[in-house]
Amino acid sequence: MNILISNDDGVYAEGIDVLYAHLKKAGHKVTVVAPDRNQSAASHSLTLEYPLRIQKINKEDYLAVKGTPTDSVYLAVNSLLPSKPDIVVSGINNGANLCDDVIYSGTVAAAVEGRNLGLPAIAVSLCGSVHYDTAAAVVCRIIERIDECPIPSDRILNINVPDLPMSAIRGVRVTRLGRRMSSESVIEEKDLRGHPIYWIGPQAEALDKAEDTDIYAVSEGYVSVTPLHIDLTAYQVLDDLSGWISKVY
């Protein structure tokens, strides 16, 4: 297959290198187009006010984009690659993208942009920073069998892999997103000149971690595969809202 790799950790990230090596070894044609620096939590941002610059780095098949993960996939598919890839793989991310993380995740956003451009797309995250080989092996297995159950055009697969050796992985579960508590943590400090600075605090604890959720599956040693769709319409309230809004005007 002709595979495009991107991610939000940046073009020099270990996860990209390991994934690239595994996919090349499996016989695929692989191109990496990713941000030139860490863009974690960039979400689905697209650069419109500034020109985008491309840099060929000292790695075969790698291009760095001075922009976001979404910029990288958009440019790769619409301009940089000689032909459209067969699939977009975003990852391997350093750290999980579980529960509400997907709203902020640049890793998920890169996959979503692939989907927006009409391509099958998956996002893959390692729930840690050690066993990238495990996550890469999981991706290779999924891609090998993807023709048996093609990803629908309005979906992406969000994959989270426990940070364990492959021998310790208990299996794969199809899951739904869990939910975290609202996080209100902000860390206030002062810079060297005494001016206040602020840091976004750590993630909140999981509020919904039932057995069918992604966060539960990973905690039990299973790979979590969650299908995501982009239609944000709350269909279940359409009728009630129509009745109420008709009285407004």
Side-chain angles (χ1 to χ4, degrees):
M1 296 181 75
N2 183 5
I3 299 173
L4 170 64
I5 292 177
S6 194
N7 193 20
D8 65 357
D9 288 334
V11 73
Y12 299 101
E14 181 181 357
I16 282 181
D17 288 343
V18 174
L19 181 59
Y20 174 89
H22 275 251
L23 290 173
K24 287 287 283 187
K25 186 177 180 179
H28 301 292
K29 176 177 172 53
V30 188
T31 306
V32 174
V33 183
D36 64 348
R37 64 199 71 190
N38 193 308
Q39 291 279 341
S40 293
S43 189
H44 204 118
S45 54
L46 193 66
T47 302
L48 300 178
E49 296 295 322
Y50 305 97
L52 298 171
R53 301 183 185 276
I54 309 300
Q55 180 184 3
K56 184 77 171 71
I57 68 173
N58 192 27
K59 293 182 179 180
E60 187 180 2
D61 304 320
Y62 278 56
L63 287 172
V65 177
K66 192 175 179 62
T68 68
T70 305
D71 293 332
S72 301
V73 174
Y74 187 91
L75 282 180
V77 174
N78 288 316
S79 180
L80 302 178
L81 300 182
S83 60
K84 284 194 173 185
D86 297 310
I87 189 170
V88 175
V89 181
S90 182
I92 302 164
N93 191 63
N94 178 0
N97 277 301
L98 301 162
C99 305
D100 309 288
D101 304 348
V102 300
I103 300 170
Y104 306 100
S105 169
T107 301
V108 173
V112 169
E113 187 59 24
R115 170 264 179 200
N116 287 349
L117 296 171
L119 301 169
I122 65 177
V124 57
S125 302
L126 178 66
C127 301
S129 57
V130 177
H131 294 96
Y132 287 105
D133 284 324
T134 301
V138 168
V139 172
C140 288
R141 290 186 182 189
I142 288 174
I143 287 178
E144 284 174 6
R145 309 197 68 168
I146 207 163
D147 287 342
E148 298 176 22
C149 185
I151 305 171
S153 60
D154 60 344
R155 304 285 193 273
I156 70 165
L157 298 183
N158 184 43
I159 302 167
N160 282 275
V161 182
D163 195 9
L164 300 170
M166 196 66 178
S167 60
I169 297 294
R170 298 178 65 186
V172 181
R173 286 186 175 178
V174 175
T175 59
R176 65 176 176 87
L177 295 177
R179 189 159 60 91
R180 294 191 190 278
M181 299 177 185
S182 298
S183 180
E184 300 176 357
S185 175
V186 174
I187 300 168
E188 182 178 354
E189 296 178 346
K190 292 187 182 297
D191 65 16
L192 295 178
R193 294 178 178 172
H195 301 136
I197 57 175
Y198 301 89
W199 299 92
I200 301 297
Q203 296 170 325
E205 293 297 316
L207 180 64
D208 177 7
K209 49 182 178 181
E211 291 188 8
D212 61 342
T213 63
D214 52 359
I215 195 166
Y216 180 85
V218 167
S219 71
E220 293 295 307
Y222 292 90
V223 174
S224 164
V225 178
T226 307
L228 303 180
H229 66 92
I230 317 304
D231 184 352
L232 300 180
T233 306
Y235 290 99
Q236 65 271 27
V237 301
L238 284 177
D239 291 341
D240 290 341
L241 184 59
S242 295
W244 172 78
I245 206 72
S246 65
K247 300 174 184 177
V248 174
Y249 184 75

